[in-house]
Amino acid sequence: MTDTLTEPAARHVVTNPAILYFGTPVVLVSTRNADGTANLAPFSSAFWLGDRAVLGVSHGSQTYANLRRTGQAVIALPSSDQADVVNRLALTTGHPTPAAYKLARGYAQVADKFGRAGLTAVPAQVVDVPLPAETPIALEAEVVAFHSEPGSDGAPVTELRVVRVHAHPELLLPGRPNRIDPDRWRPLIMSFQQLYGLTPRVAPSRLAAIDEEAYRR
């Protein structure tokens, strides 16, 4: 049997990227600090399955410490025209004593993360964490599990259950209050450390042709 990967016509080459960020939504994760103030941090390692959100959260971050202590968060999704909001939060930490490695990378301690981002903090309805009014989508969430521990070799993965979804009304399908219109929703995407937006729809999908309500748990 011929190994097609060794044929002259093969178009792939073997490569070894340090990261595999082929394209995921950027999120802003809001948590509650021990002194009662709010922390807000950008993340590019996020995906969803059913009502579960999965985040890659560094064990040394203020967000991780807050999630461990309170078990609550708001996961906000900025739109593609809010890249400046994300960039204003880059290289900032809410930790009162930033780790040496963060200081070496140019991080600065910022107490008012919402103010730094230019966002308005409004109360959530289920969790005791504020959500940013200006992001088109905000998900109230509670921690389900931490899938790795500090010092372990596993990726720092935190699983949360989404308990309430907030959306700007212009994103909803007319007459369908529980459906986000994908033609109106334009998330901010991280692809190999650069920010992108979505193009208009290129084709109808046969991969996901069932009614969305069939996914409801």
Side-chain angles (χ1 to χ4, degrees), residues 20-202:
L20 299 175
Y21 280 25
F22 292 102
T24 54
V26 177
V27 299
L28 302 176
V29 178
S30 173
T31 54
R32 183 73 71 181
N33 294 321
D35 64 2
T37 61
N39 188 58
L40 187 67
F43 291 87
S44 58
S45 298
F47 77 93
W48 290 263
L49 187 62
D51 64 352
R52 301 301 169 93
V54 178
L55 303 177
V57 182
S58 169
H59 291 148
S61 68
Q62 183 67 17
T63 297
Y64 182 79
N66 290 345
L67 289 173
R68 274 289 189 184
R69 192 184 67 261
T70 70
Q72 297 184 332
V74 168
I75 306 166
L77 285 84
S79 64
S80 56
D81 61 1
Q82 293 178 316
D84 59 329
V85 172
V86 174
N87 283 333
R88 285 196 290 269
L89 287 171
L91 297 180
T92 66
T93 176
H95 200 287
T97 55
Y101 79 91
K102 286 196 171 184
L103 293 175
R105 291 177 57 191
Y107 275 74
Q109 198 277 337
V110 174
D112 183 7
K113 292 289 203 74
F114 276 84
R116 173 67 169 253
L119 298 173
T120 306
V122 297
Q125 297 177 353
V126 179
V127 301
D128 181 28
V129 180
L131 60 87
E134 292 83 0
T135 58
I137 294 176
L139 313 174
E140 299 187 47
E142 297 175 339
V143 172
V144 173
F146 297 97
H147 291 285
S148 66
E149 297 294 330
S152 68
D153 292 333
V157 173
T158 299
E159 178 186 352
L160 303 98
R161 182 171 65 93
V162 175
V163 296
R164 184 147 297 176
V165 178
H166 302 262
H168 287 180
E170 61 269 20
L171 296 184
L172 302 179
L173 280 166
R176 302 290 299 274
N178 295 320
R179 287 284 298 276
I180 303 294
D181 186 344
D183 289 324
R184 299 182 182 187
W185 169 225
R186 286 291 175 264
L188 186 65
I189 300 294
M190 173 74 80
S191 178
F192 289 97
Q193 300 195 88
Q194 300 300 321
L195 298 174
Y196 296 87
L198 293 181
T199 63
R201 178 167 39 167
V202 297

